Amino acid sequence: IWCCHSEPRLHDWLGLTRAVFRRVTELDSSRIVIKASVFAPADELSNEEQDEEAFEAYERTALTVSWVGWYWDRLDDIEKYNPRFISEMGAQAVPDVQSLREMLPEGALWPPDWEVWKRHGFQLDVYRQNLGDPPEDLETLVAKSQRYQARVLKAHIEAYRRKKYRPVNSVIQFTLTDCAPVISWSVVDFFGRPKAAYLVLRIVMQPVLVSIQVRSETSVHAAPVDVNIWVINDYPHGFEKAVLAWEALGPDGERLQ
């Protein structure tokens, strides 16, 4: 797939985006070519193109990037988004301590020299927006950061898979690994060490997935919790004899009635 522009504004869409789209289409007829990360059929923006406010409103429904839980909104808001195709999502995660030691100068590692961390990609302000002030020790920072990334990816991917063809058509992991020693959205760092989200990604991307959608925030100690249990099957065949078994456990592992 060729994508000609990432997150264009209206003036881009009317000028540069169209020009690149035409040229790429001429040069390569063997691949699908889309104008931009606003994933829309060629004629779908005929009315919206002339009005910036309308274009931005349309873009919010067609954008192929979804940074819910990182750059915007709370993670609980993920059900409000219904994109056709997702090419960017997730949260940054700090690599393992050993990787950080190999990546950062000794004097900048801990206590952290945030300017050095930022030069390696760490978005301190966005981290604070979602997770509060960084912990007082490096190990806890790594663990907390990686747990949050795993939680974000799980929430995103399961929500989109539950909306399969309604209207979500595809999800691409952003990103698998790093090509430089940086702090990023990858699930495997530059040195080949997996983050906590790597295992979560393997689970939520498997062809047959059981997904639990919590529909209420009510505590089990106050009232019944409203949940939906989904089974998503991406194989081209069904499993007629499959049986789904589940149970609810309390915080100490006890079975709940």
Side-chain angles (χ1 to χ4, degrees):
I1 296 177
W2 287 112
C3 180
C4 302
H5 203 145
S6 176
E7 304 174 46
R9 304 276 72 81
L10 179 60
H11 64 274
D12 299 317
W13 184 270
L14 296 175
L16 179 62
T17 304
R18 283 179 167 178
V20 174
F21 175 78
R22 284 194 298 267
R23 186 59 177 151
V24 172
T25 303
E26 293 169 0
L27 292 173
D28 189 352
S29 60
S30 67
R31 303 187 191 186
I32 296 171
V33 183
I34 60 176
K35 286 183 179 179
S37 56
V38 178
F39 189 59
D43 60 351
E44 193 165 331
L45 291 177
S46 56
N47 295 325
E48 288 84 350
E49 285 178 345
Q50 308 307 319
D51 182 279
E52 186 159 0
E53 182 178 348
F55 175 82
E56 291 181 356
Y58 177 82
E59 185 184 46
R60 285 193 292 272
T61 66
L63 200 62
T64 67
V65 300
S66 179
W67 292 112
V68 178
W70 188 245
Y71 289 125
W72 63 66
D73 290 348
R74 299 185 312 123
L75 191 55
D76 295 338
D77 295 323
I78 189 62
E79 294 293 340
K80 299 176 184 177
Y81 287 78
N82 296 286
R84 294 183 180 88
F85 176 78
I86 286 293
S87 60
E88 291 184 27
M89 61 182 176
Q92 280 193 344
V94 178
D96 285 355
V97 172
Q98 183 57 39
S99 294
L100 289 172
R101 289 196 178 108
E102 297 176 30
M103 178 191 312
L104 301 174
E106 183 177 351
L109 182 58
W110 205 265
D113 183 334
W114 291 127
E115 289 305 314
V116 174
W117 282 59
K118 288 178 182 179
R119 288 199 294 272
H120 283 78
F122 186 52
Q123 297 180 340
L124 178 60
D125 291 343
V126 185
Y127 176 96
R128 283 182 168 139
Q129 170 185 308
N130 293 288
L131 293 149
D133 289 332
E136 296 184 357
D137 64 274
L138 182 59
E139 290 75 12
T140 303
L141 172 62
V142 169
K144 187 175 182 179
S145 170
Q146 292 196 13
R147 283 197 303 268
Y148 185 69
Q149 183 194 45
R151 180 185 166 210
V152 169
L153 282 177
K154 183 178 187 295
H156 274 261
I157 293 171
E158 288 198 23
Y160 299 140
R161 292 192 67 184
R162 290 194 297 263
K163 298 174 183 179
K164 179 180 176 180
Y165 306 137
R166 298 178 301 111
V168 181
N169 290 288
S170 184
V171 176
I172 295 177
Q173 163 58 18
F174 182 87
T175 59
L176 179 61
T177 188
D178 293 318
C179 58
V182 294
I183 300 168
S184 79
W185 298 264
S186 71
V187 295
V188 178
D189 69 29
F190 175 73
F191 303 99
R193 298 184 179 100
K195 302 175 185 178
Y198 178 73
L199 177 58
V200 171
L201 188 67
R202 291 181 61 184
I203 294 171
V204 298
M205 283 291 201
Q206 61 188 332
V208 177
L209 174 69
V210 176
S211 175
I212 298 178
Q213 178 188 13
V214 179
R215 296 175 57 84
S216 74
E217 298 293 327
T218 306
S219 165
V220 293
H221 299 294
V225 176
D226 184 11
V227 300
N228 282 345
I229 298 178
W230 297 70
V231 178
I232 300 111
N233 178 21
D234 282 345
Y235 283 113
H237 55 78
F239 296 88
E240 295 181 2
K241 297 182 179 180
V243 175
L244 173 64
W246 64 276
E247 61 181 356
L249 302 178
D252 297 321
E254 73 279 13
R255 181 179 296 178
L256 302 178
Q257 300 297 322

